[in-house]
């Protein structure tokens, strides 16, 4: 069955092509019933009934302001409206009455096209004033289309609030497993200072222990940002943050972009470890090398482009590259009370006899020895009598005095018993004022003499006095250049030694 119609403008076969489009012979009765239903609905529709009459008799120049809104839309398109067998056409599109609009939308959306494709399909066949908006609402309300829809366009990234000082907000994340180990990464958002801790476990207790050791070195932070891993969302971790006054912020699940500071460093860390391990270095060595280089390298994202160490601690980390610069000249040290105290402390010279403290079996003993050389300010190399070379501190040494009578042929005297130079004695002696009795009372620096020595010294005293007098007669008076050493003027008695044979 096929409907052929001709309107007053001479258009023919339009309604037939619209109704019988893709029709099969066994569906002719369905098409006929649809066309009749459209005709009847057009006659009963209050708006289309007026539109059909205006198209037949002519449109008025203007409509009342209180007229139906849809009627006003048809009035604006009146030049493109025609009627065919009781139906209204807008160009080549069939105007659908409002009771049949829903059924028409279902037919157009049978293949679940999108909004734009459904609009393009409808513009070839049907029309009603609110067609585009109803198509959009229908597609959005379609459950199968909503469940399989694509993700919307990514929103413009919203940056985190800028911190004002180091260690204010820290981003943390786990990396691994790498060779069976996990790595906890913590990055300061202000200075970009990284902390990398290797661990075998990633439980809440292990995470708390690792963060506690970091906080012990760098202090407590204000805000901690992490993902939604179970170690970070546990009640134990929440109690740890609450106890230490830390504001714990978790990002959206499966949205790593929200923790971008940590995710970006994760990528840098993985690449650096692979590069360094290619150089046949161990993982620990590669990790230490990477951290030293990263912390001492200027970072464009850091304030003023400084290195993380300069922002975190206010100084540069010393690396092997510092050897390329000439060493700075050190100013001469200024004297201070501490330096003056050091200058007055005791010291030893080479060949001095000392006692050295030797430690053995949780105890110590004084052992005689001889100073070989001075090493530094308070360190000495000492050779013991048993020919053992020992390095000792000044606090482990004390002076040792040897007795002349007990000295062997190869022994050395202490520096405290060295005699003054002969020239100093002549400079301090005034022959005009010095008498023989003064010379006799002058103490000597030699060891105490025995009874045999005393007799020989008394016999030679007159010779010495006469030689000094002859020298005074031929030598003019010389004023003393230096002051006499501060010595006691009392007569020194020879020591009375214990004699075993005297008792018997």
């Amino acid at each position: 069955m096929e409907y052929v119609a001709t309107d007053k403008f001479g258009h023919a076969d339009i309604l037939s092509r619209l109704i019988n489009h893709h029709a099969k012979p066994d569906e002719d009765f369905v098409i006929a019933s649809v066309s009749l239903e459209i005709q009847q609905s057009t006659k009963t529709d209050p708006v289309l009934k007026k539109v059909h009459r205006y198209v037949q008799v002519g449109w008025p120049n203007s409509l009342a302001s209180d007229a139906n809104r849809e009627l006003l839309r048809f009035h604006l398109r009146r030049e493109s409206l025609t009627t065919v067998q009781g139906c209204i056409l807008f160009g080549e599109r069939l105007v659908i009455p409002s009771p049949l609009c829903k059924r028409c939308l279902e037919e157009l959306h049978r293949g679940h096209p999108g909004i734009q494709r459904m609009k393009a399909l409808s513009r070839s066949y049907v029309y009603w004033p609110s067609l585009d908006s109803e198509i959009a609402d229908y597609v959005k309300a379609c459950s199968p289309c909503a469940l399989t829809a694509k993700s919307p366009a990514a929103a413009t990234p919203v940056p985190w609030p800028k911190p004002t000082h180091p260690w204010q907000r820290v981003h943390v994340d786990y990396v691994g497993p790498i060779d069976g180990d996990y790595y906890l990464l913590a990055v300061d958002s202000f200075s970009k200072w990284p902390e990398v801790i290797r661990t075998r476990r990633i439980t809440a207790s292990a995470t708390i222990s690792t963060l506690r050791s970091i906080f012990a070195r760098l202090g407590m932070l204000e805000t901690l940002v992490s993902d939604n891993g179970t170690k970070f969302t546990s009640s134990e971790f929440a109690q740890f943050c609450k106890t230490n006054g830390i504001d714990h912020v978790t990002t959206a699940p499966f949205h790593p972009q929200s923790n971008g500071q940590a995710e970006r460093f994760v990528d840098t860390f993985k690449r650096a470890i692979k590069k360094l391990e290619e150089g046949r270095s161990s993982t620990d060595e590669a990790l230490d090398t990477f951290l030293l280089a990263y912390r001492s390298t200027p970072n464009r994202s850091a304030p003023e482009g400084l290195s993380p160490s300069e922002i975190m601690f206010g100084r540069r980390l010393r690396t092997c590259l510092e050897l390329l610069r000439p060493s700075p000249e050190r100013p001469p040290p200024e004297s201070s009370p501490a330096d003056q105290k050091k200058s007055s402390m005791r010291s030893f010279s080479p060949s001095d006899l000392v006692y050295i403290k030797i430690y053995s079996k949780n105890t110590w003993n004084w052992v005689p020895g001889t100073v070989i050389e001075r090493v530094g300010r308070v360190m000495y190399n000492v050779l013991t009598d048993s020919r053992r070379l020992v390095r000792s501190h000044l606090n482990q040494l004390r002076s040792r005095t040897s007795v002349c009578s007990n000295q062997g042929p190869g022994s050395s005297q202490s520096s405290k018993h060295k005699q003054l130079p002969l020239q100093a004695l002549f400079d301090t002696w005034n022959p005009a004022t010095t008498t023989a009795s003064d010379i006799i009372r002058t103490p000597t620096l030699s060891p105490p003499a025995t009874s045999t020595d005393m007799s020989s010294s008394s016999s030679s005293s007159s010779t010495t006095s006469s030689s000094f007098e002859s020298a005074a007669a031929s030598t003019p008076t010389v004023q003393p250049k230096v002051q006499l050493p501060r010595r006691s003027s009392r007569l020194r008695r020879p020591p009375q030694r214990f004699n075993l044979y005297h008792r018997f």
Side-chain angles (χ1 to χ4, degrees):
M1 182 182 299
E2 193 171 309
Y3 292 88
V4 179
T6 304
D7 60 358
K8 62 179 181 179
F9 297 102
H11 298 152
D13 202 28
I14 296 176
L15 184 59
S16 174
R17 288 187 286 107
L18 291 174
I19 297 178
N20 297 294
H21 184 68
H22 299 306
K24 296 180 179 179
D26 56 347
E27 297 177 350
D28 289 345
F29 69 97
V30 177
I31 296 174
S33 61
V34 171
S35 62
L36 291 175
E37 188 175 359
I38 293 175
Q39 292 176 3
Q40 293 175 0
S41 297
T42 302
K43 293 179 182 181
T44 57
D45 189 275
V47 177
L48 296 184
K49 183 179 180 180
K50 293 181 180 180
V51 172
H52 186 274
R53 182 168 58 85
Y54 285 145
V55 171
Q56 295 291 333
V57 301
W59 287 87
N61 294 332
S62 62
L63 297 176
S65 58
D66 58 348
N68 189 284
R69 185 176 181 180
E70 292 186 0
L71 185 61
L72 293 175
R73 291 183 179 181
F74 282 112
H75 180 264
L76 297 175
R77 296 168 176 80
R78 60 184 181 273
E79 300 296 334
S80 302
L81 297 176
T82 57
T83 58
V84 177
Q85 295 184 358
C87 298
I88 303 174
L89 300 178
F90 176 64
E92 293 186 355
R93 301 161 61 183
L94 180 62
V95 178
I96 305 298
S98 56
L100 302 178
C101 290
K102 185 176 181 181
R103 291 174 58 185
C104 184
L105 290 174
E106 292 176 356
E107 186 67 23
L108 293 173
H109 196 63
R110 176 173 294 182
H112 291 281
I115 295 176
Q116 300 302 325
R117 291 175 58 197
M118 191 171 173
K119 286 181 180 180
L121 181 62
S122 64
R123 287 167 185 169
S124 300
Y125 296 99
V126 295
Y127 171 79
W128 64 87
S130 59
L131 175 62
D132 291 347
S133 60
E134 291 185 17
I135 287 176
D137 295 339
Y138 190 87
V139 173
K140 291 177 181 179
C142 179
S143 179
C145 291
L147 294 177
T148 58
K150 296 180 179 180
S151 300
T156 304
V158 179
W160 286 87
K162 291 186 177 181
T164 57
H165 56 271
W167 211 243
Q168 181 179 4
R169 186 181 71 247
V170 176
H171 298 251
V172 296
D173 195 9
Y174 269 105
V175 179
I178 300 176
D179 296 334
D181 295 328
Y182 293 88
Y183 296 87
L184 177 62
L185 309 183
V187 186
D188 178 31
S189 59
F190 183 80
S191 63
K192 314 306 177 186
W193 175 271
E195 286 286 339
V196 181
I197 307 297
R198 185 169 66 172
T199 180
R200 286 281 182 176
R201 300 182 300 124
I202 58 174
T203 59
S205 59
T207 303
I208 292 174
S209 178
T210 303
L211 290 178
R212 188 185 294 113
S213 65
I214 296 176
F215 297 160
R217 296 191 301 270
L218 302 176
M220 294 293 176
L221 45 87
E222 297 181 12
T223 305
L224 181 68
V225 182
S226 69
D227 56 17
N228 289 270
T230 55
K231 55 272 185 185
F232 298 117
T233 57
S234 63
S235 59
E236 184 180 1
F237 192 83
Q239 182 63 31
F240 169 74
C241 294
K242 182 179 179 181
T243 304
N244 294 281
I246 300 173
D247 182 18
H248 184 206
V249 179
T250 56
T251 60
F254 302 100
H255 192 259
Q257 295 86 345
S258 298
N259 197 12
Q261 183 69 72
E263 295 295 336
R264 185 67 186 88
F265 185 74
V266 166
D267 180 68
T268 303
F269 170 74
K270 288 182 177 180
R271 294 177 183 273
I273 291 298
K274 288 183 179 179
K275 293 175 184 177
L276 292 173
E277 287 182 346
E278 289 295 330
R280 299 180 180 179
S281 60
S282 62
T283 304
D284 292 339
E285 183 180 356
L287 177 59
D288 295 337
T289 303
F290 163 71
L291 288 177
L292 178 61
Y294 191 92
R295 291 167 175 172
S296 59
T297 303
N299 194 318
R300 292 184 299 174
S301 301
E304 301 180 7
L306 300 176
S307 63
S309 63
E310 291 180 274
I311 302 174
M312 194 71 178
F313 303 110
R315 66 177 182 87
R316 288 184 179 181
L317 294 181
R318 187 177 185 274
T319 63
C320 59
L321 297 177
E322 296 292 335
L323 301 176
L324 300 175
R325 298 180 177 180
S327 57
E329 296 182 358
R330 297 181 179 180
E334 298 180 358
S335 60
S336 61
D339 296 335
Q340 295 175 1
K341 185 177 181 180
K342 289 181 180 178
S343 62
S344 62
M345 66 182 180
R346 59 196 182 95
S347 62
F348 297 95
S349 301
S351 301
D352 285 355
L353 302 180
V354 294
Y355 284 106
I356 178 173
K357 188 180 290 187
I358 298 297
Y359 295 85
S360 176
K361 297 180 180 180
N362 295 329
T363 185
W364 57 269
N365 295 310
W366 290 111
V367 175
T370 305
V371 176
I372 301 300
E373 61 178 346
R374 183 173 182 175
V375 183
R377 295 184 178 181
V378 292
M379 301 292 290
Y380 294 88
N381 285 336
V382 181
L383 183 65
T384 64
D385 289 353
S386 59
R387 314 304 297 176
R388 176 185 173 187
L389 185 63
V390 182
R391 175 170 294 185
S392 300
H393 191 272
L394 179 63
N395 297 335
Q396 299 171 332
L397 299 175
R398 66 184 182 92
S399 300
R400 178 168 64 95
T401 304
S402 63
V403 182
C404 295
S405 60
N406 297 334
Q407 287 181 350
S411 60
S412 61
Q413 295 182 352
S414 175
S415 62
K416 293 185 177 181
H417 297 279
K418 292 181 179 179
Q419 295 185 356
L420 294 174
L422 184 60
Q423 185 63 33
L425 294 176
F426 278 113
D427 292 341
T428 57
W429 176 67
N430 189 352
T433 59
T434 305
T435 62
S437 60
D438 294 334
I439 297 175
I440 295 175
R441 288 196 300 269
T442 303
T444 60
L445 299 179
S446 60
T450 60
S451 58
T452 307
D453 296 335
M454 290 293 294
S455 61
S456 62
S457 62
S458 60
S459 61
S460 62
S461 61
S462 59
T463 306
T464 306
S465 301
S466 60
S467 63
F468 278 133
E469 290 175 359
S470 61
S474 60
T475 305
T477 303
V478 180
Q479 297 296 332
K481 297 182 180 180
V482 295
Q483 296 181 356
L484 290 173
R486 298 182 61 183
R487 303 177 185 274
S488 175
S489 59
R490 67 181 179 86
L491 293 176
R492 295 183 180 271
R493 295 179 181 178
Q496 296 180 0
R497 304 185 183 277
F498 183 72
N499 191 351
L500 293 175
Y501 300 97
H502 182 68
R503 298 178 58 186
F504 300 99

